[in-house]
């Protein structure tokens, strides 16, 4: 049974209007071997139904095929093979999952408005995740919101789509490509 299939060739839409024109520091690019290597091409990544502490993953949207990327200090959903760091080390604290960016060493979490960011030095409550497998494949990512769990999805802020924790059932489906 195949749960996940992907086209190994990246698709370019030719639209360069959403690319951040600021320069990524050379140490960021050089420190991440995925910038020169497309794990979705010939490597046949090992897909995991849910992330597991002690492993590193590329977190990919099932719907768009785009991956969660740290680019110029901002968390973005970008096409695979572009600039930025797409590797996230899965960690565990008090039973909660967390994702540490392998270049910045900071943890994926949310800000006061619920937008995803990667700036925390430690894995604490605003960086806690839960991954729930779906029967149809993939999983949803949940983040704490007081005593509730909200899904990770897209919020629109001033006409711009941003990754955020959102209330309700509009979360995205994710898959995890284990990288070595």
């Amino acid at each position: 049974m195949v749960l996940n299939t992907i086209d190994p060739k990246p698709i370019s839409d030719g639209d360069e209007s959403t690319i951040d024109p600021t320069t990524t520091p050379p140490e960021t690019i050089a420190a991440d071997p995925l910038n020169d290597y497309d794990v979705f091409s010939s490597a046949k990544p090992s897909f995991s139904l849910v992330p597991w502490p002690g492993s590193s993953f590329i977190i990919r949207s099932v719907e768009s095929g785009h991956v969660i990327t740290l680019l110029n200090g901002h968390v973005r959903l970008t096409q695979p093979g572009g600039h930025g760091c797409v590797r996230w080390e899965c960690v565990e604290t008090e039973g909660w999952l967390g994702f540490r960016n392998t270049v910045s060493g900071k943890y994926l979490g949310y800000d006061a408005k619920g937008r995803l960011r990667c700036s925390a030095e430690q894995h604490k409550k605003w960086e806690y995740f839960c991954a729930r497998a779906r029967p149809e494949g993939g999983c949803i990512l949940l983040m704490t919101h007081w005593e509730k769990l909200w899904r990770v999805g897209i919020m629109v802020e001033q006409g711009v789509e941003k990754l955020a924790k959102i209330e309700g059932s509009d979360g995205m489906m994710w898959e995890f490509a284990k990288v070595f």
Side-chain angles (χ1 to χ4, degrees):
M1 177 167 97
V2 175
L3 293 176
N4 298 305
T5 59
I6 58 173
D7 182 358
K9 297 178 184 140
I11 299 171
S12 174
D13 63 5
D15 179 10
E16 302 296 326
S17 64
T18 59
I19 295 176
D20 191 339
T22 57
T23 305
T24 301
E27 61 274 10
T28 302
I29 295 172
D32 186 3
L34 288 181
N35 285 324
D36 297 323
Y37 181 70
D38 181 5
V39 300
F40 292 111
S41 62
S42 62
K44 301 290 184 200
S46 170
F47 283 96
S48 176
L49 193 55
V50 292
W52 194 256
S55 297
S56 291
F57 296 92
I58 294 174
I59 308 169
R60 187 174 94 139
S61 163
V62 171
E63 182 181 346
S64 70
H66 292 176
V67 295
I68 296 179
T69 306
L70 181 62
L71 179 64
N72 298 319
H74 300 282
V75 177
R76 307 219 190 260
L77 199 56
T78 65
Q79 289 187 9
H83 293 286
C85 181
V86 298
R87 276 188 178 210
W88 301 92
E89 177 189 3
C90 185
V91 299
E92 182 179 12
T93 302
E94 297 179 1
W96 291 99
L97 296 178
F99 299 99
R100 188 182 68 83
N101 185 270
T102 60
V103 171
S104 72
K106 310 250 183 196
Y107 290 89
L108 190 60
Y110 60 89
D111 65 17
K113 293 185 178 182
R115 298 172 298 213
L116 263 61
R117 49 99 173 118
C118 185
S119 59
E121 299 282 340
Q122 297 178 338
H123 182 219
K124 296 200 174 192
K125 291 183 182 181
W126 284 29
E127 295 78 38
Y128 286 175
F129 284 86
C130 174
R132 186 176 296 158
R134 299 290 304 197
E136 62 271 19
C139 69
I140 56 173
L141 278 176
L142 301 158
M143 297 187 81
T144 58
H145 182 82
W146 300 99
E147 72 282 352
K148 297 179 182 180
L149 291 174
W150 284 11
R151 295 176 183 220
V152 172
I154 299 288
M155 77 177 326
V156 178
E157 187 176 75
Q158 298 178 352
V160 177
E161 290 185 339
K162 297 184 178 189
L163 284 170
K165 65 175 188 163
I166 55 175
E167 186 176 20
S169 61
D170 294 333
M172 299 171 71
M173 297 283 285
W174 301 95
E175 59 189 2
F176 293 81
K178 186 175 179 179
V179 290
F180 302 94

